[in-house]
Amino acid sequence: MFFWHMIIYKLHFNLVTMKKSLFLYLFILAGLFNVFTYMYYSKALEFEQKKYTKTADFDKKVTDSLTNLMADANYFSLENNDYARDYFEKYEIKSLIPKISEALLSYNDDPKGNKYIGQETLGTQKFIINKLKILNHRWIVADYSDGTYWGNVFIKYFLNDDGTFTFITQDTFLFPKQQY
């Protein structure tokens, strides 16, 4: 009987020590899991912060580049030319620009085409101004076409005392017809 008690005691002792060992191993494993999880998320956060910083820097460079490009493109414009704005000091530039454009484009309604293009009709369609840019207090450059032929025109303009505009065609260029 003593023999069986000893065997049962040893089994119980082994189970208790195995249970303690199992808990010790599980505790160590959980600790390692927590350390690796912490390291992963801290590195992931650093990575995301670096990625965000790089993206923000790139976006700032692109924005600055586009701003400079727009400033260069608008160098010749009534809005950005201080001397031209001083010339029209009595007028609000933002409301004057559409009035100049509308006055010039209103001649597109003429059955013979816009008379300030300086180009005779070459076919059945009339020449009209498609786009224009007011360069300063005196000059306009415009793109015109009849749907087949395209050209550019350089126009001098004046603001009259009565608020109307006078246009004078300075030079015009018709591009050769392209064969495709």
Side-chain angles (χ1 to χ4, degrees):
M1 182 89 150
F2 179 70
F3 177 71
W4 291 109
H5 282 297
M6 284 300 281
I7 292 177
I8 292 174
Y9 177 74
K10 278 193 166 194
L11 282 174
H12 178 66
F13 180 74
N14 284 341
L15 285 174
V16 170
T17 55
M18 249 178 26
K19 195 176 185 182
K20 285 182 184 178
S21 296
L22 181 65
F23 283 129
L24 178 65
Y25 290 134
L26 287 175
F27 179 73
I28 291 171
L29 187 62
L32 286 173
F33 181 74
N34 285 337
V35 167
F36 285 119
T37 303
Y38 172 75
M39 294 302 291
Y40 171 77
Y41 282 114
S42 64
K43 294 291 182 184
L45 180 64
E46 282 180 34
F47 175 75
E48 290 297 325
Q49 286 174 340
K50 286 180 184 177
K51 185 172 133 182
Y52 173 76
T53 303
K54 286 180 183 178
T55 304
D57 290 344
F58 178 75
D59 289 347
K60 183 172 178 2
K61 287 178 185 176
V62 168
T63 303
D64 291 345
S65 174
L66 289 175
T67 301
N68 291 337
L69 189 61
M70 286 298 296
D72 288 345
N74 284 327
Y75 179 77
F76 290 107
S77 68
L78 184 57
E79 299 96 343
N80 295 325
N81 188 325
D82 290 335
Y83 299 115
R85 284 195 326 239
D86 289 345
Y87 184 80
F88 289 126
E89 65 187 352
K90 295 187 284 184
Y91 301 96
E92 176 65 34
I93 296 294
K94 293 209 183 275
S95 64
L96 187 62
I97 291 171
K99 289 178 185 177
I100 297 168
S101 297
E102 288 172 19
L104 185 57
L105 293 174
S106 68
Y107 292 100
N108 284 349
D109 296 334
D110 188 333
K112 295 180 184 177
N114 195 314
K115 66 182 180 181
Y116 293 108
I117 290 173
Q119 183 67 47
E120 294 295 322
T121 305
L122 297 176
T124 59
Q125 297 292 327
K126 63 182 181 177
F127 281 106
I128 61 170
I129 293 178
N130 300 315
K131 292 183 182 182
L132 62 95
K133 178 150 180 105
I134 302 169
L135 300 177
N136 58 20
H137 65 289
R138 193 59 67 219
W139 303 108
I140 298 173
V141 65
D143 171 67
Y144 67 89
S145 77
D146 68 351
T148 304
Y149 296 97
W150 300 83
N152 292 331
V153 62
F154 193 58
I155 300 171
K156 190 175 191 177
Y157 75 97
F158 299 95
L159 175 60
N160 302 322
D161 292 334
D162 62 355
T164 60
F165 298 96
T166 303
F167 300 103
I168 301 170
T169 303
Q170 294 295 306
D171 199 4
T172 186
F173 180 78
L174 186 64
F175 295 103
K177 187 176 178 180
Q178 298 291 323
Q179 299 295 324
Y180 295 105

